[in-house]
Amino acid sequence: MAFELVTIPCLSDNYAYLLIKDGEAVVVDVPEAAPLLAAVAERGVKVRDVILTHHHFDHVQGLDEVKEGLGTPVRVIGCAADADRLPALDLALGEGDALQVLGADVQVFDVSGHTLGHLAFYVPEAGVAFTADSLMALGCGRVFEGTMDQMWAGLQKLAALPGETVIASGHEYTEANGRFALTIEPENQALQDRMARIRDARAEGRPTVPSTLSEELATNPFLRAHLAEVKKGLNMVGNSDPDVFGEIRRRKDSF
Ligand code: ZN
Ligand code: FE
């Protein structure tokens, strides 16, 4: 349990993360160099790896400046299938491929949907999953490139992780996500309670991430499309889980 997870606010609403063990660190996503380099300097850690979750500009644009600022070689890790849209990778991989960072095994999941080639990285020893714009706090990424079925299937992989898994996602969208979630499940007490905590956190300027998977399973409508009460509330009792997910996602797009 020597791992430390540091949440780093970047740009207007992005998050990068630093996972630290024994003075070494891995960076997950590089929206902006300055806050990342400051977090690294403050803790005096040596960054070994930079993981890129997906190709969107707001997750990769700080890479060159981070590399330059660190001044020591790092291994840049990302999705093989999306390598032509990502910065130059030192290690290109896909779902199920073996990966170790900080001496720990990492499980790589293809969670395409938001983009084709979006990966999530689960570090069992640290109890953390880096999900960026796939599973988000009370939400999920907009389905830009894949299909609703694909996005739902990707989220199901994350939903199967241990409930205590820390979900380190990519944006501070939680309060707006929660307002939407309440339109899907107005009676969900766990959701109402979570929203109260989120409003308090935001009023004090605190991040609402990371969250835990068990919180998401209890409150995140995008993980709850298979539930009878959710289908009933949407008048979609006979519909498939991905269809219900798709309906919820489309409603959120125009919320
Ligand atoms: Zn994105
Ligand atoms: Fe993003």
Side-chain angles (χ1 to χ4, degrees):
M1 284 303 291
F3 289 92
E4 182 194 357
L5 178 67
V6 182
T7 303
I8 306 167
C10 296
L11 306 174
S12 59
D13 57 32
N14 276 79
Y15 288 112
Y17 295 92
L18 209 52
L19 185 66
I20 299 173
K21 190 189 180 191
D22 298 335
E24 299 193 338
V26 50
V27 167
V28 180
D29 282 346
V30 282
E32 188 183 11
L36 257 166
L37 292 171
V40 168
E42 192 183 319
R43 286 161 185 84
V45 291
K46 194 165 181 85
V47 175
R48 298 291 189 187
D49 302 293
V50 175
I51 289 176
L52 303 175
T53 58
H54 67 296
H55 80 268
H56 280 159
F57 200 56
D58 63 312
H59 297 256
V60 304
Q61 65 181 343
L63 183 62
D64 287 343
E65 214 182 316
V66 164
K67 283 167 89 170
E68 204 179 293
L70 292 172
T72 54
V74 294
R75 181 175 62 159
V76 179
I77 302 166
C79 180
D82 206 15
D84 56 340
R85 296 192 295 182
L86 286 162
L89 301 175
D90 301 299
L91 180 61
L93 35 67
E95 177 161 284
D97 284 350
L99 173 63
Q100 280 215 327
V101 299
L102 309 174
D105 288 324
V106 182
Q107 292 175 23
V108 181
F109 297 104
D110 187 327
V111 289
S112 290
H114 176 68
T115 64
L116 294 175
H118 193 312
L119 297 179
F121 297 85
Y122 170 50
V123 190
E125 242 184 273
V128 180
F130 297 98
T131 62
D133 296 359
S134 60
L135 176 59
M136 306 175 89
L138 273 182
C140 74
R142 202 171 173 127
V143 179
F144 285 121
E145 296 181 5
T147 64
M148 294 296 183
D149 285 37
Q150 199 172 19
M151 187 74 171
W152 171 253
L155 293 178
Q156 292 311 107
K157 297 171 192 174
L158 301 171
L161 297 177
E164 65 271 21
T165 303
V166 170
I167 302 297
S169 55
H171 288 272
E172 184 57 63
Y173 292 161
T174 318
E175 192 170 359
N177 287 344
R179 282 198 302 274
F180 171 73
L182 284 166
T183 69
I184 301 296
E185 288 193 280
E187 310 293 328
N188 182 331
Q189 186 64 50
L191 173 58
Q192 292 170 12
D193 294 348
R194 188 177 178 190
M195 257 315 257
R197 293 195 300 275
I198 287 162
R199 289 195 170 107
D200 287 349
R202 293 315 293 156
E204 293 164 20
R206 283 183 284 118
T208 60
V209 304
S211 56
T212 66
L213 180 61
S214 59
E215 274 183 287
E216 299 305 332
L217 290 170
T219 57
N220 185 329
F222 298 100
L223 291 184
R224 295 171 59 77
H226 60 296
L227 297 175
E229 65 261 36
V230 171
K231 289 188 178 183
K232 197 159 167 245
L234 293 168
N235 277 319
M236 293 185 76
V237 169
N239 289 263
S240 73
D241 302 346
D243 280 358
V244 177
F245 167 78
E247 172 64 20
I248 297 172
R249 187 57 257 179
R250 277 186 293 274
R251 287 187 187 206
K252 174 65 167 64
D253 291 349
S254 57
F255 179 69

